[in-house]
């Protein structure tokens, strides 16, 4: 097959580029890196492909990240495992897959520092020109690798099957080691095709069972083990997420909101805590503009559980009415300010209530369309009249926090265990 020979040749040439001196740069944030050689290798490979296959699309990590896999394309990761590469760890690779007429037909994974050159086509899978096959063992003796985000909870769930796990820092390494029989399962919990597609094809041609769905791209020694990996490590799709809309001086971000995020983040529930302007800029218009982004991209949806604290409540109620938005559940924490004509606090420079005042029709919309809850305590405010009004006006379920002493002098709440319990039930 000419495609596999072409890919093998250009990757071998790219190996030589990886021996050059490199510089390290931050990429998309402080926890990710890119080097000049990532860019140089990718450009070299793209130029070679475009010259030989001008009608094929390119899907690649650095220059063509927005492209989807098409019927005829090359998928390129110039250095998979850049952080390993930048720190002189040998666990990284150059990889390419070729898709033709809608089917992956060839792939190459080169691990230059290990002197290992993997490739696969319709004849099978190979390491340094020798055929390779996956190895089957008893489930309790399996060794698996997992890459992607938030992997620790998955590893904990896998302990009942096997506590033998590795994280190599490069999907290409995990997949190559599975194909060559060194490990027995490999999982990638993200959706970047240049990371997983070359390895999945290599594993398939080495006899592995593979599955590729959103949030779970994996190969295993057999179907039984793949099913276990999917059940315990696949991202749960279509479940509720959580939005925490804090009081606009930001106190919730530093206190109980972090507790909620840590608790449910560990359970692989997405928790969003949108940043809103503080004090002078605290207007409903800005609140609406920023929250609308989440509504438009689908993260804020009919399955979302929305929790609001203090001044976040009137803002959110108005937002629901104007956008005709209905969350799965709305939990109001201390919503007294809905009924205040003016805030009686000194830590706001402007009277934000002028922007947030709640009209009767807003409350009526919540009452008719939204399952609401009200968490409150009279220890911090001296009376419960406003909460009684909210419960009646929105048909909210009453959750009274008796003997609640987690407020401090700055109106900060440190933890609300009852809130975590409620979210657990709603999820």
């Amino acid at each position: 097959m000419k495609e596999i020979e072409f890919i093998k040749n250009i990757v071998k040439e790219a190996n030589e580029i990886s021996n050059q001196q490199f510089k390290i740069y931050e990429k998309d944030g402080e926890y990710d890196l890119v080097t000049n050689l990532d860019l140089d290798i990718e450009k070299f490979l793209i130029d070679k492909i475009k010259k030989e296959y001008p009608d094929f699309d390119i899907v690649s990590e650095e220059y063509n990240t927005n492209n989807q896999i098409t019927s005829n394309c090359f998928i390129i990761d110039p250095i998979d495992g850049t952080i390993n590469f930048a720190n002189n760890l040998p666990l990284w690779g150059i990889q390419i897959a070729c898709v033709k007429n809608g089917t992956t037909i060839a792939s190459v994974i080169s691990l230059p520092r290990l002197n290992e050159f993997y490739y696969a086509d319709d004849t099978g899978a190979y390491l340094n020109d020798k055929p390779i096959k996956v190895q089957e063992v008893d489930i309790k003796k399996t060794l698996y690798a997992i890459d992607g985000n938030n992997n620790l909870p998955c590893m904990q769930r896998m302990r009942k099957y096997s506590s033998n796990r590795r994280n190599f820092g490069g999907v290409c390494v995990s997949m190559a080691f599975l194909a060559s029989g060194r490990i027995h399962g490999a999982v990638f919990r993200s959706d970047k095709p240049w990371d997983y597609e070359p390895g999945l094809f290599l594993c398939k041609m080495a006899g592995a069972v593979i599955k590729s769905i959103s949030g779970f791209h994996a190969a295993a020694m057999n179907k039984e083990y793949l099913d276990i990996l999917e059940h315990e490590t696949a991202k749960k799709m279509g479940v509720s997420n959580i939005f925490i809309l804090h009081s606009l001086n930001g106190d919730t971000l530093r206190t109980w909101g972090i507790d909620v995020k840590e608790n449910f983040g560990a359970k692989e529930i997405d928790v969003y805590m949108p940043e809103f302007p503080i004090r002078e800029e605290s207007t409903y218009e800005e609140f609406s503009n920023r929250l609308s982004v989440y509504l438009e991209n689908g993260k804020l949806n009919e399955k979302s559980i929305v929790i609001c604290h203090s001044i976040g409540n009137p803002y959110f109620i108005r937002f629901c009415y104007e956008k005709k938005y209905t969350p799965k559940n709305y939990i109001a924490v201390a919503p007294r300010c809905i009924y205040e004509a003016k805030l009686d606090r000194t830590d706001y420079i402007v009277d934000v209530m002028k922007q947030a005042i709640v009209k009767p029709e807003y409350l009526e919309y919540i009452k008719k369309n939204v399952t609401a809850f009200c968490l409150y305590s009279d220890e911090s405010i001296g009376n419960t009249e406003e909460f009684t009004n909210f419960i009646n006006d929105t048909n909210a379920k009453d959750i009274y926090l008796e003997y609640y002493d987690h407020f401090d002098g700055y109106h900060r709440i440190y933890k609300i265990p009852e809130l975590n319990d409620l979210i657990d039930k709603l999820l």
Side-chain angles (χ1 to χ4, degrees), residues 32-170:
D32 200 4
L33 302 176
V34 68
T35 72
N36 60 303
L37 296 189
D38 288 83
L39 303 173
D40 292 347
I41 291 172
E42 185 168 320
K43 186 177 185 305
F44 168 80
L45 294 172
I46 290 173
D47 289 346
K48 289 286 186 177
I49 292 168
K50 284 298 184 183
K51 183 177 180 180
E52 189 71 20
Y53 292 87
D55 296 330
F56 275 59
D57 298 313
I58 302 292
V59 181
S60 60
E61 182 172 14
E62 307 301 339
Y63 291 113
N64 297 277
T65 59
N66 293 325
N67 285 8
Q68 299 295 315
I69 296 178
T70 61
S71 296
N72 295 284
C73 67
F74 286 86
I75 303 169
I76 304 171
D77 194 339
I79 298 180
D80 181 43
T82 298
I83 293 177
N84 286 350
F85 174 81
N87 288 279
N88 294 313
L89 294 175
L91 300 177
W92 58 271
I94 302 170
Q95 57 181 0
I96 300 181
C98 176
V99 178
K100 188 175 183 180
N101 298 324
T103 301
T104 302
I105 62 166
S107 72
V108 168
I109 295 177
S110 175
L111 309 181
R113 299 299 183 266
L114 299 182
N115 295 315
E116 295 188 350
F117 194 86
Y118 297 81
Y119 62 91
D121 61 9
D122 59 352
T123 66
Y126 304 87
L127 166 57
N128 294 341
D129 295 325
K130 295 181 180 180
I132 53 176
K133 287 289 183 182
V134 297
Q135 180 184 11
E136 291 195 49
V137 298
D138 183 82
I139 295 294
K140 292 294 184 180
K141 296 180 180 179
T142 52
L143 175 62
Y144 73 93
I146 183 167
D147 293 278
N149 300 319
N150 198 24
N151 295 330
L152 184 58
C154 305
M155 294 177 179
Q156 291 295 106
R157 293 194 294 270
M158 282 292 294
R159 286 180 65 85
K160 57 182 172 287
Y161 301 102
S162 171
S163 60
N164 301 318
R165 58 185 181 268
R166 296 293 182 268
N167 188 326
F168 298 112

